[in-house]
Amino acid sequence: MSSGTILLIGCIIIFAAVAVIAVLMLSRGGSGFKFDIGGQAPRAAGGNDTSAETTFKSRFVGLGIFSGSVLGVLLARLWSMQVVSGDDYTRQAESNRTRTVTTAAPRGRILDRNGVELVTNRPSLTVCAMSDIADNTIELNVLSALLGIPSVAAKRRATDSTQSAQSARTVAVDATRSAVAFIQEHIDVFPDVNIETRTQRSYPQGEVAAQVLGYTGTVTQDQIDSSADANGGITYESGDTTGQAGVEFQYEELLQGVRGEQTVYVDVHGNVLDYSSSVPAESGSDIMLTIDLDIQKAAEEALVKQIKKRQDSGVKECTSGAAIVLDATNGEVLAMASAPLFRPEVFVGGISQDDWDVLSADDAGNPLMNKAVSGQYVAASTIKPLTTFAALDYGIATPDTTYDCTGWWTGFGDAYGKYCWNTKGHGYLNLRGGIVNSCDVVFYEVAKGFYNAGDKADGMQDTFKKWGLGSTTGIDLPSESAGRVPDAEWKWNYFSNWSDTDRQWNGGDYTNIAIGQGDIAVTPLQMACVYMGIANRGTIWRPHVLKSVVGRGDNGTVREYEPTVSISPEESSSNFDLVVSGLDGVVYEESESQSAHFTNMTQRVAGKTGSGEHGEYPTSWFCCFAPEDNPKYVVAVAVEKGGYGGSCALYVARDILGAIYNEPDTQTSEVQDTSR
């Protein structure tokens, strides 16, 4: 029984006694009680005392009514406290003497499509401390010196207010065995410290797929404040580990486990007296990705190999690139490589300043960025199939329209002349020949046609957008870039500090985007999706890295990802035939030395090279799909400062396809740096 209830019962007893006395006095009021009430002056002997008795009785009646009323109120309150609100007060009383201590849960594993572990957990010796250590300067200083961290940091972690007073705060993870042994051998020196075995992230494949997988880190205060809204109701405590990038971030709700709870009894000072019920921590769900580890390794090795060759040739600035392999039948990402690589392990337990300086150095190549989804580049000649669709759709050209390439084009006048990449000229070519030979003049003519097309002038940009450029693909990875399809409105707003004349959209802007140069910006993933659409003749599946989810527990259910069509750009069958034939010609007709790298493959490949003129060195591109007649794999490669497409990116794609079909490239001669 609470003290408040005891006090209330005491008051009821007192008022009940007063009421009883009042009743007794009233019952004897007519038989001998003759009191002077209220301090009246004595009356003369023999006077009439009827009025005094009346006054006496009325006052006791009032006292009885008052006492009865108070007694009724108190009884009602007692009823409310003991019966109506009894459970509530019981819970309050229980909460005053109990506390909930939580324990961290292991994160779920990340597996490749064949069940191979990409990310798992390993045991970690964790040094924890109670908040009382903040009042023991000697203990705090000795502990911080032993762990090699500032005492201020140790104190801040130990006094973190996001956890209950009875919870041990994480001071350091992955403590050395010597430090742990010293603490355990000198427990009298560290009364507020204990050692726990928790889990930390482990990456058995090292750097493989680092940008796709992402990394974890200690939860920030902003994440704690917004966690309930942002992560499906998950709440965090300071020191928790959360996904900070890639799959770890994207699927945080699945990978994050359910914290365990231990109820403890405490005294008025918060000291633990006993332990009650407990709920064990529940690990997060395992997730299986669409990534094929073997193809992923092949993509990364091929990308790094060509970057190194470029550096060895004297272009030290070539450090970055991306390569993507999609399953054309459902949009699954079989590989997604981004260079340079990094080791996710450096973030376990908190990244050191030295490691951060290395990753963020000016010449590091931004390794933390997944360039496949976030890198934005000029599309170069890989966009020419879309320019061809636009020309055919809007009547700018027909399959039989031919153009004469002399190597120098003056379609907008001599003052605005432009070279073809082949300054000697290609001669007369139609649209297919323009794709095969990557002839710039053919597409300059298309651009001129749109410039003079009146209300159809935006048809080329509309076609690019219809195929997904300028918009995100919706892949299940964070930080995807949308790219850019420039037009007159964009130019006018973007170059607001230019003169009105220079801000106008002109013929040169058309010729630039027609060959994938100028202000157009695409991601490697967008171009992979474009070529998936060409391969499928109009069906572009939404790219995705999640294959399935294995629920928590030994008998967890499996939830399979359901592929969905993202967009379905419509083109006539004859238009697709022309473009696919042109892409086949790029691989097998444009250059004998180039086609030699594919002739020993049993599967026929259709693709397009590209060289993005942006800065001193071009961005090297190659996009392709195979088998040509029944497409299964789509490959897109972009190498920053890699040179012409046929001399760098093409090799990356060829090595990837060789790994997929187990048909390595046996051609040792290199393509000359002329194929655009």
Side-chain angles (χ1 to χ4, degrees):
M1 185 179 297
S2 67
S3 59
T5 304
I6 294 174
L7 179 62
L8 183 61
I9 293 175
C11 293
I12 292 174
I13 293 174
I14 293 173
F15 277 100
V18 172
V20 169
I21 293 172
V23 171
L24 289 174
M25 295 182 71
L26 284 172
S27 65
R28 299 182 62 184
S31 56
F33 285 102
K34 305 290 184 180
F35 296 117
D36 290 329
I37 305 301
Q40 299 97 326
R43 294 186 179 88
N48 189 357
D49 60 356
T50 304
S51 61
E53 291 182 4
T54 302
T55 301
F56 174 81
K57 290 182 179 180
S58 63
R59 290 186 177 182
F60 269 92
V61 169
L63 179 60
I65 294 173
F66 172 74
S67 299
S69 300
V70 172
L71 182 61
V73 171
L74 293 175
L75 287 172
R77 180 57 179 163
L78 181 61
W79 170 267
S80 174
M81 293 175 63
Q82 293 295 91
V83 179
V84 179
S85 303
D87 292 342
D88 183 49
Y89 285 114
T90 299
R91 285 192 296 269
Q92 292 184 33
E94 185 69 13
S95 67
N96 288 334
R97 70 188 189 104
T98 61
R99 298 290 185 272
T100 300
V101 179
T102 61
T103 56
R107 292 176 70 82
R109 299 175 303 159
I110 303 177
L111 315 173
D112 91 327
R113 64 185 304 110
N114 299 310
V116 180
E117 288 185 339
L118 301 176
V119 184
T120 185
N121 301 304
R122 59 171 175 78
S124 169
L125 292 174
T126 304
V127 178
C128 304
M130 305 301 293
S131 59
D132 293 343
I133 197 175
D135 300 325
N136 191 329
T137 305
I138 296 177
E139 181 184 9
L140 183 65
N141 290 339
V142 173
L143 179 64
S144 59
L146 184 64
L147 298 175
I149 60 176
S151 58
V152 174
K155 183 176 181 179
R156 182 178 65 251
R157 297 170 187 175
T159 56
D160 168 48
S161 60
T162 63
Q163 303 180 54
S164 69
Q166 288 69 37
S167 296
R169 276 71 163 190
T170 301
V171 177
V173 299
D174 286 337
T176 63
R177 292 190 176 276
S178 58
V180 170
F182 186 88
I183 292 172
Q184 292 176 332
E185 291 172 1
H186 300 82
I187 194 64
D188 55 323
V189 180
F190 303 102
D192 302 304
V193 179
N194 64 292
I195 307 298
E196 296 182 9
T197 300
R198 297 183 180 178
T199 60
Q200 292 290 345
R201 277 318 220 187
S202 176
Y203 302 85
Q205 309 302 328
E207 298 176 326
V208 176
Q211 288 87 357
V212 176
L213 300 174
Y215 54 87
T216 58
T218 303
V219 66
T220 65
Q221 188 58 50
D222 289 341
Q223 289 173 319
I224 292 174
D225 295 340
S226 61
S227 60
D229 296 329
N231 293 300
I234 295 176
T235 57
Y236 298 106
E237 295 179 358
S238 182
D240 281 352
T241 297
T242 64
Q244 301 292 334
V247 170
E248 292 274 24
F249 176 85
Q250 183 74 25
Y251 289 107
E252 168 68 13
E253 182 180 348
L254 296 173
L255 293 168
Q256 183 67 255
V258 179
R259 299 181 67 88
E261 293 185 353
Q262 171 74 63
T263 302
V264 298
Y265 294 102
V266 298
D267 59 18
V268 293
H269 302 292
N271 299 315
V272 177
L273 301 176
D274 198 2
Y275 296 87
S276 182
S277 59
S278 64
V279 178
E282 191 174 349
S283 63
S285 299
D286 292 343
I287 62 175
M288 181 175 286
L289 303 184
T290 59
I291 297 292
D292 185 303
L293 181 59
D294 292 336
I295 301 177
Q296 179 71 29
K297 287 181 177 180
E300 292 182 357
E301 290 171 1
L303 187 61
V304 170
K305 175 183 175 182
Q306 291 304 318
I307 288 176
K308 186 178 184 303
K309 281 187 176 181
R310 185 68 170 164
Q311 291 176 340
D312 292 343
S313 69
V315 186
K316 301 299 182 183
E317 297 85 353
C318 180
T319 60
S320 305
I324 307 169
V325 183
L326 299 179
D327 187 330
T329 66
N330 54 23
E332 291 183 349
V333 178
L334 302 177
M336 181 177 283
S338 181
L341 305 174
F342 74 95
R343 294 181 300 106
E345 289 94 340
V346 299
F347 289 92
V348 175
I351 187 170
S352 69
Q353 187 61 50
D354 290 342
D355 286 333
W356 179 253
D357 290 342
V358 170
L359 291 175
S360 58
D362 292 338
D363 59 351
N366 201 358
L368 299 183
M369 175 192 284
N370 186 347
K371 296 174 180 61
V373 299
S374 301
Q376 299 184 81
Y377 313 97
V378 290
S381 296
T382 60
I383 207 171
K384 288 176 179 176
L386 298 191
T387 309
T388 300
F389 283 137
L392 295 170
D393 291 342
Y394 287 88
I396 303 299
T398 70
D400 299 323
T401 303
T402 58
Y403 307 96
D404 182 17
C405 172
T406 64
W408 174 250
W409 182 76
T410 56
F412 288 130
D414 292 341
Y416 302 98
K418 290 177 175 290
Y419 281 106
C420 178
W421 71 266
N422 182 356
T423 57
K424 296 180 180 180
H426 289 102
Y428 284 93
L429 295 173
N430 56 17
L431 288 176
R432 180 189 181 277
I435 294 175
V436 172
N437 296 280
S438 201
C439 178
D440 292 334
V441 168
V442 169
F443 296 98
Y444 290 157
E445 288 289 343
V446 171
K448 179 182 176 181
F450 277 108
Y451 179 71
N452 295 317
D455 59 355
K456 298 180 180 179
D458 291 332
M460 187 160 48
Q461 293 100 314
D462 290 343
T463 299
F464 293 169
K465 293 175 181 177
K466 179 178 75 173
W467 278 82
L469 302 188
S471 303
T472 57
T473 67
I475 190 172
D476 50 342
L477 286 173
S479 305
E480 183 185 7
S481 298
R484 177 175 60 239
V485 177
D487 55 20
E489 181 181 4
W490 172 85
K491 184 179 181 182
W492 180 268
N493 293 330
Y494 188 80
F495 297 105
S496 58
N497 59 332
W498 289 10
S499 68
D500 289 354
T501 301
D502 292 335
R503 293 168 68 187
Q504 297 291 333
W505 188 260
N506 54 50
D509 295 309
Y510 278 104
T511 56
N512 276 338
I513 66 172
I515 63 171
Q517 306 290 351
D519 294 313
I520 195 165
V522 300
T523 69
L525 178 61
Q526 286 175 327
M527 295 312 298
C529 287
V530 166
Y531 278 75
M532 174 168 53
I534 296 173
N536 292 332
R537 295 177 174 258
T539 298
I540 299 179
W541 296 92
R542 188 179 306 281
H544 60 96
V545 298
L546 179 67
K547 186 171 181 62
S548 62
V549 180
V550 181
R552 299 183 179 96
D554 295 334
N555 298 318
T557 57
V558 176
R559 189 184 77 197
E560 296 286 343
Y561 182 94
E562 294 293 336
T564 58
V565 174
S566 175
I567 53 177
S568 300
E570 295 183 2
E571 302 289 348
S572 69
S573 177
S574 60
N575 288 357
F576 277 119
D577 289 342
L578 185 152
V579 168
V580 171
S581 175
L583 296 177
D584 176 273
V586 170
V587 176
Y588 298 102
E589 299 175 27
E590 181 185 6
S591 165
E592 290 185 6
S593 59
Q594 182 171 287
S595 63
H597 293 273
F598 293 90
T599 52
N600 70 322
M601 289 189 63
T602 56
Q603 304 296 334
R604 200 164 182 87
V605 178
K608 183 72 188 77
T609 55
S611 306
E613 302 291 345
H614 188 72
E616 184 178 0
Y617 302 105
T619 295
S620 180
W621 277 98
F622 189 70
C623 300
C624 64
F625 55 87
E628 181 185 316
D629 58 348
N630 186 25
K632 171 65 176 178
Y633 302 104
V634 178
V635 181
V637 180
V639 181
E640 298 178 30
K641 306 183 190 306
Y644 291 160
S647 63
C648 182
L650 177 144
Y651 290 122
V652 178
R654 176 59 183 86
D655 286 346
I656 294 172
L657 290 172
I660 292 174
Y661 290 113
N662 194 25
E663 297 175 344
D665 187 1
T666 58
Q667 177 60 245
T668 57
S669 64
E670 294 197 3
V671 178
Q672 296 298 311
D673 211 18
T674 57
S675 177
R676 300 289 295 274

PDB file of all heavy atoms in Angstrom, residues 103-128:
ATOM      1  N   THR A 103      20.465  -4.517 -24.483  1.00  0.00           N
ATOM      2  CA  THR A 103      21.698  -5.073 -25.031  1.00  0.00           C
ATOM      3  C   THR A 103      21.629  -5.026 -26.555  1.00  0.00           C
ATOM      4  O   THR A 103      20.563  -5.196 -27.144  1.00  0.00           O
ATOM      5  CB  THR A 103      21.892  -6.535 -24.587  1.00  0.00           C
ATOM      6  OG1 THR A 103      20.734  -7.307 -24.963  1.00  0.00           O
ATOM      7  CG2 THR A 103      22.088  -6.619 -23.092  1.00  0.00           C
ATOM      8  N   ALA A 104      22.772  -4.760 -27.182  1.00  0.00           N
ATOM      9  CA  ALA A 104      22.823  -4.625 -28.635  1.00  0.00           C
ATOM     10  C   ALA A 104      22.561  -5.965 -29.310  1.00  0.00           C
ATOM     11  O   ALA A 104      22.864  -7.029 -28.773  1.00  0.00           O
ATOM     12  CB  ALA A 104      24.171  -4.071 -29.062  1.00  0.00           C
ATOM     13  N   ALA A 105      22.009  -5.887 -30.526  1.00  0.00           N
ATOM     14  CA  ALA A 105      21.720  -7.094 -31.299  1.00  0.00           C
ATOM     15  C   ALA A 105      22.658  -7.167 -32.500  1.00  0.00           C
ATOM     16  O   ALA A 105      23.009  -6.146 -33.087  1.00  0.00           O
ATOM     17  CB  ALA A 105      20.271  -7.077 -31.778  1.00  0.00           C
ATOM     18  N   PRO A 106      23.071  -8.358 -32.902  1.00  0.00           N
ATOM     19  CA  PRO A 106      23.914  -8.499 -34.092  1.00  0.00           C
ATOM     20  C   PRO A 106      23.145  -8.087 -35.348  1.00  0.00           C
ATOM     21  O   PRO A 106      21.943  -8.324 -35.467  1.00  0.00           O
ATOM     22  CB  PRO A 106      24.247  -9.988 -34.127  1.00  0.00           C
ATOM     23  CG  PRO A 106      23.940 -10.499 -32.752  1.00  0.00           C
ATOM     24  CD  PRO A 106      22.831  -9.646 -32.232  1.00  0.00           C
ATOM     25  N   ARG A 107      23.848  -7.476 -36.297  1.00  0.00           N
ATOM     26  CA  ARG A 107      23.237  -7.129 -37.573  1.00  0.00           C
ATOM     27  C   ARG A 107      23.126  -8.379 -38.440  1.00  0.00           C
ATOM     28  O   ARG A 107      23.864  -9.356 -38.278  1.00  0.00           O
ATOM     29  CB  ARG A 107      24.068  -6.076 -38.304  1.00  0.00           C
ATOM     30  CG  ARG A 107      24.057  -4.723 -37.636  1.00  0.00           C
ATOM     31  CD  ARG A 107      24.968  -3.742 -38.337  1.00  0.00           C
ATOM     32  NE  ARG A 107      24.468  -3.355 -39.643  1.00  0.00           N
ATOM     33  CZ  ARG A 107      23.543  -2.431 -39.861  1.00  0.00           C
ATOM     34  NH1 ARG A 107      23.004  -1.805 -38.831  1.00  0.00           N
ATOM     35  NH2 ARG A 107      23.167  -2.114 -41.094  1.00  0.00           N
ATOM     36  N   GLY A 108      22.184  -8.341 -39.376  1.00  0.00           N
ATOM     37  CA  GLY A 108      22.042  -9.440 -40.311  1.00  0.00           C
ATOM     38  C   GLY A 108      23.203  -9.493 -41.291  1.00  0.00           C
ATOM     39  O   GLY A 108      23.885  -8.494 -41.526  1.00  0.00           O
ATOM     40  N   ARG A 109      23.422 -10.662 -41.867  1.00  0.00           N
ATOM     41  CA  ARG A 109      24.502 -10.830 -42.833  1.00  0.00           C
ATOM     42  C   ARG A 109      24.049 -10.372 -44.222  1.00  0.00           C
ATOM     43  O   ARG A 109      22.858 -10.284 -44.513  1.00  0.00           O
ATOM     44  CB  ARG A 109      24.935 -12.288 -42.893  1.00  0.00           C
ATOM     45  CG  ARG A 109      25.472 -12.869 -41.601  1.00  0.00           C
ATOM     46  CD  ARG A 109      25.757 -14.354 -41.783  1.00  0.00           C
ATOM     47  NE  ARG A 109      24.563 -15.078 -42.215  1.00  0.00           N
ATOM     48  CZ  ARG A 109      24.567 -16.264 -42.817  1.00  0.00           C
ATOM     49  NH1 ARG A 109      25.733 -16.862 -43.085  1.00  0.00           N
ATOM     50  NH2 ARG A 109      23.438 -16.854 -43.160  1.00  0.00           N
ATOM     51  N   ILE A 110      25.033 -10.083 -45.075  1.00  0.00           N
ATOM     52  CA  ILE A 110      24.774  -9.761 -46.475  1.00  0.00           C
ATOM     53  C   ILE A 110      25.460 -10.834 -47.320  1.00  0.00           C
ATOM     54  O   ILE A 110      26.664 -11.068 -47.191  1.00  0.00           O
ATOM     55  CB  ILE A 110      25.303  -8.370 -46.848  1.00  0.00           C
ATOM     56  CG1 ILE A 110      24.682  -7.304 -45.931  1.00  0.00           C
ATOM     57  CG2 ILE A 110      24.987  -8.050 -48.301  1.00  0.00           C
ATOM     58  CD1 ILE A 110      25.209  -5.902 -46.175  1.00  0.00           C
ATOM     59  N   LEU A 111      24.683 -11.497 -48.184  1.00  0.00           N
ATOM     60  CA  LEU A 111      25.170 -12.623 -48.971  1.00  0.00           C
ATOM     61  C   LEU A 111      25.078 -12.308 -50.458  1.00  0.00           C
ATOM     62  O   LEU A 111      24.260 -11.477 -50.880  1.00  0.00           O
ATOM     63  CB  LEU A 111      24.339 -13.876 -48.671  1.00  0.00           C
ATOM     64  CG  LEU A 111      24.040 -14.176 -47.200  1.00  0.00           C
ATOM     65  CD1 LEU A 111      23.061 -15.337 -47.099  1.00  0.00           C
ATOM     66  CD2 LEU A 111      25.319 -14.480 -46.438  1.00  0.00           C
ATOM     67  N   ASP A 112      25.913 -12.976 -51.258  1.00  0.00           N
ATOM     68  CA  ASP A 112      25.757 -12.844 -52.706  1.00  0.00           C
ATOM     69  C   ASP A 112      24.643 -13.792 -53.158  1.00  0.00           C
ATOM     70  O   ASP A 112      24.034 -14.498 -52.341  1.00  0.00           O
ATOM     71  CB  ASP A 112      27.088 -13.092 -53.424  1.00  0.00           C
ATOM     72  CG  ASP A 112      27.305 -14.548 -53.816  1.00  0.00           C
ATOM     73  OD1 ASP A 112      26.836 -15.447 -53.078  1.00  0.00           O
ATOM     74  OD2 ASP A 112      27.958 -14.796 -54.836  1.00  0.00           O
ATOM     75  N   ARG A 113      24.347 -13.818 -54.438  1.00  0.00           N
ATOM     76  CA  ARG A 113      23.202 -14.572 -54.940  1.00  0.00           C
ATOM     77  C   ARG A 113      23.348 -16.073 -54.704  1.00  0.00           C
ATOM     78  O   ARG A 113      22.361 -16.815 -54.746  1.00  0.00           O
ATOM     79  CB  ARG A 113      22.985 -14.287 -56.420  1.00  0.00           C
ATOM     80  CG  ARG A 113      24.096 -14.732 -57.317  1.00  0.00           C
ATOM     81  CD  ARG A 113      23.877 -14.314 -58.781  1.00  0.00           C
ATOM     82  NE  ARG A 113      22.622 -14.793 -59.321  1.00  0.00           N
ATOM     83  CZ  ARG A 113      21.573 -14.029 -59.610  1.00  0.00           C
ATOM     84  NH1 ARG A 113      21.629 -12.728 -59.394  1.00  0.00           N
ATOM     85  NH2 ARG A 113      20.484 -14.547 -60.105  1.00  0.00           N
ATOM     86  N   ASN A 114      24.566 -16.543 -54.482  1.00  0.00           N
ATOM     87  CA  ASN A 114      24.806 -17.965 -54.245  1.00  0.00           C
ATOM     88  C   ASN A 114      25.006 -18.295 -52.775  1.00  0.00           C
ATOM     89  O   ASN A 114      25.410 -19.410 -52.433  1.00  0.00           O
ATOM     90  CB  ASN A 114      26.017 -18.424 -55.054  1.00  0.00           C
ATOM     91  CG  ASN A 114      25.816 -18.253 -56.550  1.00  0.00           C
ATOM     92  OD1 ASN A 114      24.796 -18.682 -57.093  1.00  0.00           O
ATOM     93  ND2 ASN A 114      26.762 -17.601 -57.213  1.00  0.00           N
ATOM     94  N   GLY A 115      24.739 -17.343 -51.889  1.00  0.00           N
ATOM     95  CA  GLY A 115      24.848 -17.588 -50.460  1.00  0.00           C
ATOM     96  C   GLY A 115      26.229 -17.364 -49.881  1.00  0.00           C
ATOM     97  O   GLY A 115      26.456 -17.642 -48.697  1.00  0.00           O
ATOM     98  N   VAL A 116      27.159 -16.845 -50.671  1.00  0.00           N
ATOM     99  CA  VAL A 116      28.507 -16.572 -50.174  1.00  0.00           C
ATOM    100  C   VAL A 116      28.472 -15.295 -49.334  1.00  0.00           C
ATOM    101  O   VAL A 116      27.888 -14.284 -49.739  1.00  0.00           O
ATOM    102  CB  VAL A 116      29.508 -16.414 -51.329  1.00  0.00           C
ATOM    103  CG1 VAL A 116      30.908 -16.119 -50.791  1.00  0.00           C
ATOM    104  CG2 VAL A 116      29.514 -17.670 -52.190  1.00  0.00           C
ATOM    105  N   GLU A 117      29.097 -15.331 -48.167  1.00  0.00           N
ATOM    106  CA  GLU A 117      29.082 -14.178 -47.273  1.00  0.00           C
ATOM    107  C   GLU A 117      29.907 -13.022 -47.837  1.00  0.00           C
ATOM    108  O   GLU A 117      31.091 -13.178 -48.149  1.00  0.00           O
ATOM    109  CB  GLU A 117      29.626 -14.559 -45.893  1.00  0.00           C
ATOM    110  CG  GLU A 117      28.691 -15.428 -45.077  1.00  0.00           C
ATOM    111  CD  GLU A 117      29.229 -15.685 -43.679  1.00  0.00           C
ATOM    112  OE1 GLU A 117      30.458 -15.538 -43.494  1.00  0.00           O
ATOM    113  OE2 GLU A 117      28.442 -16.041 -42.789  1.00  0.00           O
ATOM    114  N   LEU A 118      29.262 -11.885 -47.969  1.00  0.00           N
ATOM    115  CA  LEU A 118      29.950 -10.651 -48.335  1.00  0.00           C
ATOM    116  C   LEU A 118      30.220  -9.802 -47.102  1.00  0.00           C
ATOM    117  O   LEU A 118      31.256  -9.149 -47.000  1.00  0.00           O
ATOM    118  CB  LEU A 118      29.124  -9.861 -49.348  1.00  0.00           C
ATOM    119  CG  LEU A 118      28.796 -10.579 -50.664  1.00  0.00           C
ATOM    120  CD1 LEU A 118      27.889  -9.709 -51.523  1.00  0.00           C
ATOM    121  CD2 LEU A 118      30.064 -10.943 -51.419  1.00  0.00           C
ATOM    122  N   VAL A 119      29.249  -9.810 -46.186  1.00  0.00           N
ATOM    123  CA  VAL A 119      29.399  -9.112 -44.903  1.00  0.00           C
ATOM    124  C   VAL A 119      28.840 -10.023 -43.822  1.00  0.00           C
ATOM    125  O   VAL A 119      27.740 -10.571 -43.967  1.00  0.00           O
ATOM    126  CB  VAL A 119      28.639  -7.764 -44.882  1.00  0.00           C
ATOM    127  CG1 VAL A 119      28.905  -7.040 -43.569  1.00  0.00           C
ATOM    128  CG2 VAL A 119      29.042  -6.893 -46.059  1.00  0.00           C
ATOM    129  N   THR A 120      29.585 -10.192 -42.755  1.00  0.00           N
ATOM    130  CA  THR A 120      29.118 -11.006 -41.638  1.00  0.00           C
ATOM    131  C   THR A 120      29.539 -10.326 -40.342  1.00  0.00           C
ATOM    132  O   THR A 120      29.894  -9.146 -40.343  1.00  0.00           O
ATOM    133  CB  THR A 120      29.678 -12.444 -41.741  1.00  0.00           C
ATOM    134  OG1 THR A 120      29.128 -13.246 -40.709  1.00  0.00           O
ATOM    135  CG2 THR A 120      31.189 -12.457 -41.659  1.00  0.00           C
ATOM    136  N   ASN A 121      29.487 -11.049 -39.225  1.00  0.00           N
ATOM    137  CA  ASN A 121      29.842 -10.482 -37.929  1.00  0.00           C
ATOM    138  C   ASN A 121      30.970 -11.288 -37.289  1.00  0.00           C
ATOM    139  O   ASN A 121      31.098 -12.486 -37.533  1.00  0.00           O
ATOM    140  CB  ASN A 121      28.630 -10.472 -36.990  1.00  0.00           C
ATOM    141  CG  ASN A 121      27.478  -9.670 -37.541  1.00  0.00           C
ATOM    142  OD1 ASN A 121      27.617  -8.497 -37.859  1.00  0.00           O
ATOM    143  ND2 ASN A 121      26.317 -10.297 -37.669  1.00  0.00           N
ATOM    144  N   ARG A 122      31.751 -10.644 -36.490  1.00  0.00           N
ATOM    145  CA  ARG A 122      32.819 -11.302 -35.742  1.00  0.00           C
ATOM    146  C   ARG A 122      32.746 -10.839 -34.300  1.00  0.00           C
ATOM    147  O   ARG A 122      32.239  -9.742 -34.018  1.00  0.00           O
ATOM    148  CB  ARG A 122      34.183 -10.955 -36.330  1.00  0.00           C
ATOM    149  CG  ARG A 122      34.492  -9.458 -36.339  1.00  0.00           C
ATOM    150  CD  ARG A 122      35.918  -9.167 -36.711  1.00  0.00           C
ATOM    151  NE  ARG A 122      36.157  -7.746 -36.824  1.00  0.00           N
ATOM    152  CZ  ARG A 122      36.326  -6.919 -35.809  1.00  0.00           C
ATOM    153  NH1 ARG A 122      36.255  -7.397 -34.559  1.00  0.00           N
ATOM    154  NH2 ARG A 122      36.539  -5.632 -35.977  1.00  0.00           N
ATOM    155  N   PRO A 123      33.231 -11.645 -33.365  1.00  0.00           N
ATOM    156  CA  PRO A 123      33.226 -11.210 -31.967  1.00  0.00           C
ATOM    157  C   PRO A 123      34.200 -10.057 -31.740  1.00  0.00           C
ATOM    158  O   PRO A 123      35.245  -9.976 -32.392  1.00  0.00           O
ATOM    159  CB  PRO A 123      33.645 -12.469 -31.198  1.00  0.00           C
ATOM    160  CG  PRO A 123      34.332 -13.328 -32.200  1.00  0.00           C
ATOM    161  CD  PRO A 123      33.740 -13.006 -33.529  1.00  0.00           C
ATOM    162  N   SER A 124      33.843  -9.190 -30.819  1.00  0.00           N
ATOM    163  CA  SER A 124      34.676  -8.028 -30.504  1.00  0.00           C
ATOM    164  C   SER A 124      34.679  -7.809 -29.000  1.00  0.00           C
ATOM    165  O   SER A 124      33.624  -7.786 -28.354  1.00  0.00           O
ATOM    166  CB  SER A 124      34.128  -6.776 -31.202  1.00  0.00           C
ATOM    167  OG  SER A 124      34.760  -5.612 -30.729  1.00  0.00           O
ATOM    168  N   LEU A 125      35.872  -7.673 -28.425  1.00  0.00           N
ATOM    169  CA  LEU A 125      35.994  -7.359 -27.000  1.00  0.00           C
ATOM    170  C   LEU A 125      35.665  -5.881 -26.807  1.00  0.00           C
ATOM    171  O   LEU A 125      36.339  -5.007 -27.347  1.00  0.00           O
ATOM    172  CB  LEU A 125      37.406  -7.663 -26.508  1.00  0.00           C
ATOM    173  CG  LEU A 125      37.795  -9.146 -26.487  1.00  0.00           C
ATOM    174  CD1 LEU A 125      39.269  -9.310 -26.130  1.00  0.00           C
ATOM    175  CD2 LEU A 125      36.930  -9.907 -25.491  1.00  0.00           C
ATOM    176  N   THR A 126      34.611  -5.637 -26.049  1.00  0.00           N
ATOM    177  CA  THR A 126      34.109  -4.281 -25.860  1.00  0.00           C
ATOM    178  C   THR A 126      34.245  -3.864 -24.407  1.00  0.00           C
ATOM    179  O   THR A 126      33.815  -4.586 -23.497  1.00  0.00           O
ATOM    180  CB  THR A 126      32.630  -4.191 -26.281  1.00  0.00           C
ATOM    181  OG1 THR A 126      32.510  -4.636 -27.631  1.00  0.00           O
ATOM    182  CG2 THR A 126      32.119  -2.768 -26.163  1.00  0.00           C
ATOM    183  N   VAL A 127      34.853  -2.711 -24.187  1.00  0.00           N
ATOM    184  CA  VAL A 127      35.004  -2.167 -22.839  1.00  0.00           C
ATOM    185  C   VAL A 127      33.814  -1.259 -22.554  1.00  0.00           C
ATOM    186  O   VAL A 127      33.554  -0.303 -23.287  1.00  0.00           O
ATOM    187  CB  VAL A 127      36.318  -1.370 -22.695  1.00  0.00           C
ATOM    188  CG1 VAL A 127      36.426  -0.773 -21.301  1.00  0.00           C
ATOM    189  CG2 VAL A 127      37.511  -2.268 -22.988  1.00  0.00           C
ATOM    190  N   CYS A 128      33.079  -1.584 -21.493  1.00  0.00           N
ATOM    191  CA  CYS A 128      31.900  -0.812 -21.109  1.00  0.00           C
ATOM    192  C   CYS A 128      32.100  -0.236 -19.710  1.00  0.00           C
ATOM    193  O   CYS A 128      32.861  -0.778 -18.907  1.00  0.00           O
ATOM    194  CB  CYS A 128      30.648  -1.686 -21.135  1.00  0.00           C
ATOM    195  SG  CYS A 128      30.350  -2.484 -22.725  1.00  0.00           S
TER     196      CYS A 128
END
